[in-house]
Amino acid sequence: MAVDTLTFAIMTAVYLVIVMVLGYMGYKKTKEAEDFMLAGRNVHPALIALSYGATFISTSAIVGFGGVAANLGMGLIWLVGLNIGVGILLAFVVYGKKTREIGSRLKAVTFPDFMGKVYGSSFMRYASGLIIIIGMPLYASAVMIGGARFIETTFSMSFTTALLVLAAITAIYVIVGGLLAVIYTDAFQGIIMLIGMIILLIFTYVTLGGIGPAHEALTNMASLVPESLSASGHTGWTSMPDLGSPLWYTLVTTIILGVGIGVLAQPQLVVRFMTAKDNKSLNRAIPVGGLFILLIPGVIYTVGALTNVYFFDNKGMLAVQAAGANIDSVIPTYINAIMPDWFVVLFLLTLLAAAMSTLSALFHTMGTAIGHDIIGQKNGEKPSLKKNRIGVLVMIVVSVLLAFIMPGSIIARATAMFMGLCASAFLPAFTHAIFSKKPSTKAAVVSLIVGAVTWFAWTAFVHVKESEALGLCQFLFGQPTLLQNPWPVVDPLIIALPLATISLILVLIIEGQSAVDKNEAMKKSQV
């Protein structure tokens, strides 16, 4: 459908002007490197909540996971519950407060800096930074692809042009304004996302005849599940896959648990806690954050599944078929098919807001990992604003290049991979850091190494979706995966996180026993 070019130009111009003004406001308040990295540690609770939510929910959730919901069904709603329970309540009330207190006391300004100072270990700082700059570009690229795909579908613009424009606009205000600019623009973009999602939900139910008829129609489509999906455990779009089936493992271990648990140790989100003035600010941010998570992913997972009703009624095919077998194109195709021009433009701005809010946080986190944690601080020198800005620019270029070589239908998978890696490598050591009076450096180092190495090994040699694509297992062993069912569909997180946790506990036990033995030996020598 042809979109009103004038309407699009006016709305986009207004949106970009506001973003740039907010970016300039951040720039005016960014005087030193610490301002660039931590926004002065005095951010308003509502801004923290909106920035946290807008960073967490990106085009990966809207485009990628919306397409997954069209393919696998409403079982994805379980992820919303986990996002609220773990990603908001547990994160803010338990993890957030301790992180803010310790970060403020140690004057930590980034996640790797936090880990390094808590443990008094340059290894923990360097290793955390290295994992960020290796793993996070995968996530950033997925977010860029999601935004670019919608622009490409809607306006017949080349994917290359759409991707470069999206990256360039975001880069300007992140490099110039730092974290405060990121938070200001996140809050504005979060409001746009809320408006867009509410309108989308209402319009979908009205088009499909109401809530009851829409869901009943989707339930009655269970017999239309393609044979390939049915053989993998798909039972319909309003029910969970068969317990223990390949699709069940994918939905539960990779998507629900991978994203739901991984949120606790995502560096770009952890930093938000350290921007709060006090713990009361974090408490006041919870209602706004919870509502945001309920409305954004809750709506898109519901609408994603319901797209099957619309496409079957109007085109006689399922949503993924109507989107050319590319899961990442389902939501853009649906929006263009069902919505009036004005909403197509609004939804484009919603996707731009979702993409830019998350991208800005990822670019900032990757850039400071290089500019501050890996090359920025040597021999106790003062943090460099220039090095952080150069670091951001370098990681933007890396992420853009990666986006051009990533395969189709990758958005949701890349997001889950990054979050699983964060949980596997960081979560046990991060948890130990904030809840132990005397955190063990050796236990943290072992846990981080075991979690990261196990995750990468399982990804390369067992989890078939990645191992088959990478080809390393096939090259070395002549087969796409080393293990038999069900292990090739079990997400790396399910193996790596428990092993990392057990490793940390074992080292603590060994260290504790060693201390006891040493004390007993000292007592005997005194006697």
Side-chain angles (χ1 to χ4, degrees), residues 15 19 173 185-193 352-354 356-357 360:
Y15 167 79
V19 166
Y173 67 82
T185 54
D186 279 355
F188 167 62
Q189 290 157 344
I191 293 171
I192 293 177
M193 292 163 65
L352 285 176
M356 291 171 67
S357 60
S360 61

Side-chain angles (χ1 to χ4, degrees), residues 95 111 261-270 418-419 421-428 430:
Y95 279 77
F111 178 78
I261 296 175
V263 64
L264 285 176
Q266 287 192 68
Q268 74 277 16
L269 297 181
V270 171
F418 172 71
M419 294 188 182
L421 172 60
C422 285
S424 301
F426 297 142
L427 188 54
F430 178 50

Side-chain angles (χ1 to χ4, degrees), residues 443 446 498-513:
V446 171
L499 286 180
T501 305
I502 292 169
S503 299
L504 186 143
I505 293 171
L506 286 177
V507 174
L508 291 177
I509 292 173
I510 293 171
E511 285 188 332
Q513 185 60 48

